[in-house]
Structures are given as C-alpha cells and as structure tokens.
Amino acid sequence: MIIGIIGAMREEITPLLDIFKQYTTHQISNNIFYEITYKNSKIFIAYSKIGKVHSSITATTMILHFGCQKILFSGVAGGLNQNLKVGDLMLATKLCQHDVDITAFGHPLGFIPESSVYIHTDERLNTIAREVAKDQNIILKEGIIASGDQFIHNQDKKQWLIENFQADAVEMEGASVGMACHLFNIPFCIFRSISDSADGNADISFDEFLEKSAKTSANFVKHMVDAIL
Ligand code: SAH
C-alpha cells in the first residue's frame, strides 16, 4: 500500500515527520516529498503550500509520480458552524469551491460545467475514521467544507458561506485535493482541526492555535494510517 499525506503548511506536516522520524526526501516542482517506510508500506508526506492550485498539484504528484493509492489531508480550518470550536477535529463529508462563480451564465454558485458543486470524500475511509475516533475516545465531528483562495475573517462572508454552501468549515485546499483524487479515482479523506472561527479575530486566533490544532489533526492521521495498514 502507498499512502499520501498532504498538509498545506509546514506546521501541518511537522508533527507527522516528528512521529515517523526516519525518511528520505524527493524534490519535485520546488516541493519536498518525504518518503517513509512503515509496516511494509510506503507513506509520502508533503506540504503543498497554501491554496487550491498548489494543493491540487501536490495531490496529482502524489498520485501520478509516487503512485499513492489513498490520500489523507491533515490541517487546520476556520469554523463556521457554532458547534465547531477552536481545537475541535472534523472530518469532511463533502467539499466545494466557494470562490467559483460563473453564475453570470445561469450556473449555480460553485458549479463548473462537466463537474459538480460538491466532491464527496471516500465513505470507506470515513468509516475507518469513525472507528478510529471511537477506539481512541476522540470526538470527531463531521461536516461540509468550503475551500477557496481566501482567508476568511469576516462575519458577513462567514454567513454567506453558510447560506450558499451549508458549509461547516472553511479552508483553502480540501476541495482541490479532493478534485484531483476524484478525477484519478483515488480514495481520499480530509481532516481539519479548527484554528479560528473565520471572524474578525481569525488572524489572531489562527496564529495562536495553528501549531496545537495542526498537531491534533496530525495525531489523528497517524492513527488512521495504523488503521489502514
Ligand atoms: N499565516 C499564514 C497564512 C495562513 S492562510 C502565512 O502568513 O503564511 C490559512 C491556512 O489555514 C490555509 O492553509 C487554510 O487552509 C487554513 N485556514 C485556517 N483558517 C482559515 C480561514 N478562516 N479561512 C480560510 N482558510 C483557513
């Protein structure tokens, strides 16, 4: 089995590299991929850099170049749903690109012709995630994630995301990683720990909680790897 683990920022993969400790590195497209041998399997870990473009390139490289058969994303997100507090861990059920807008032509927000508004995460991986959460006594919340190339720190925009996409959390990479996986038929799941509430204090909250929330997500992903292998 070859598993790919993607984060957006260095801080999101550092906890995983600290856990696995031994790796070799590969450099492709100005990006470092960490190769780990674990339980007779291979794991590739990389941070993509922020945003939908970078993250879809990283996911595609993981799939086409390194042959990853499953992709897990680990990182942080802004909470939109009041039930998602800073530090909570969530699993994405489906994701959309909130900054796609060709409504001028009568299409729904977030819709691209020959595609769909939402990309669904893999139900089998999600089932494993729920079992892992139960075994580890971890509360794993679930919801819809809206991804876009914007850091959301505004109450009105927050409300807009909830109303238009029923989104529970917002980030900048999940839907694009999902799209790459979907197109190449690779099962994927997205874990995010909440770093902020996407409101007027989001930047301050993000800086304060990035490291801790990134660790929460990464620790869970390590348990996921153990459950898969
Ligand atoms: N402080 C960083 C920028 C962080 S951008 C710098 O200066 O380089 C926010 C990152 O965390 C993105 O990778 C995104 O996926 C996630 N994220 C967390 N909270 C978010 C929010 N409120 N809106 C959008 N993305 C958010």
Side-chain angles (χ1 to χ4, degrees):
M1 168 77 67
I2 309 176
I3 299 176
I5 304 175
I6 305 177
M9 304 174 66
R10 186 187 301 278
E11 290 86 344
E12 290 170 328
I13 66 158
T14 299
L16 284 162
L17 298 178
D18 289 346
I19 291 170
F20 288 111
K21 289 191 178 72
Q22 286 193 327
Y23 46 76
T24 56
T25 58
H26 307 263
Q27 187 156 4
I28 300 178
S29 64
N30 199 25
N31 204 355
I32 299 172
F33 293 79
Y34 298 85
E35 177 178 346
I36 290 149
T37 304
Y38 184 66
K39 292 188 179 175
N40 287 328
S41 293
K42 291 253 172 255
I43 303 171
F44 289 91
I45 301 179
Y47 75 92
S48 58
K49 299 189 281 292
I50 293 165
K52 292 192 295 165
V53 173
H54 285 126
S55 56
S56 59
I57 291 172
T58 300
T60 304
T61 306
M62 289 264 191
I63 295 165
L64 294 186
H65 187 80
F66 293 111
C68 291
Q69 296 157 300
K70 295 187 194 310
I71 300 272
L72 315 180
F73 190 100
S74 181
V76 302
L80 303 173
N81 188 320
Q82 286 184 356
N83 290 328
L84 285 169
K85 308 271 186 237
V86 169
D88 284 356
L89 180 65
M90 77 171 292
L91 169 71
T93 51
K94 57 182 184 176
L95 304 99
C96 59
Q97 298 184 59
H98 69 73
D99 53 359
V100 165
D101 184 349
I102 49 170
T103 53
F105 300 94
H107 297 295
L109 261 177
F111 179 77
I112 293 174
E114 298 181 43
S115 187
S116 59
V117 173
Y118 293 100
I119 297 290
H120 289 257
T121 48
D122 183 66
E123 205 33 60
R124 264 182 263 177
L125 285 175
N126 291 348
T127 301
I128 295 174
R130 290 177 196 116
E131 284 164 6
V132 166
K134 210 170 155 210
D135 287 352
Q136 299 292 327
N137 225 356
I138 292 170
I139 297 172
L140 179 63
K141 300 192 171 170
E142 297 188 21
I144 298 173
I145 286 184
S147 307
D149 288 324
Q150 300 157 3
F151 181 78
I152 306 300
H153 57 114
N154 172 297
Q155 194 60 41
D156 292 344
K157 186 74 192 217
K158 221 179 130 165
Q159 216 43 49
W160 183 88
L161 290 167
I162 296 169
E163 274 162 26
N164 287 286
F165 295 101
Q166 294 77 52
D168 297 293
V170 62
E171 37 85 310
M172 303 174 70
E173 300 84 15
S176 44
V177 166
M179 184 57 77
C181 293
H182 170 72
L183 293 175
F184 291 112
N185 211 10
I186 295 296
F188 75 100
C189 58
I190 309 279
F191 298 99
R192 294 275 183 176
S193 176
I194 304 301
S195 55
D196 57 83
S197 297
D199 54 15
N201 290 322
D203 49 342
I204 294 161
S205 176
F206 178 89
D207 283 345
E208 187 176 348
F209 294 106
L210 167 62
E211 207 174 314
K212 194 157 181 272
S213 294
K215 254 188 209 156
T216 300
S217 177
N219 288 340
F220 192 86
V221 164
K222 165 64 169 53
H223 289 306
M224 270 303 280
V225 168
D226 284 327
I228 293 168
L229 295 178

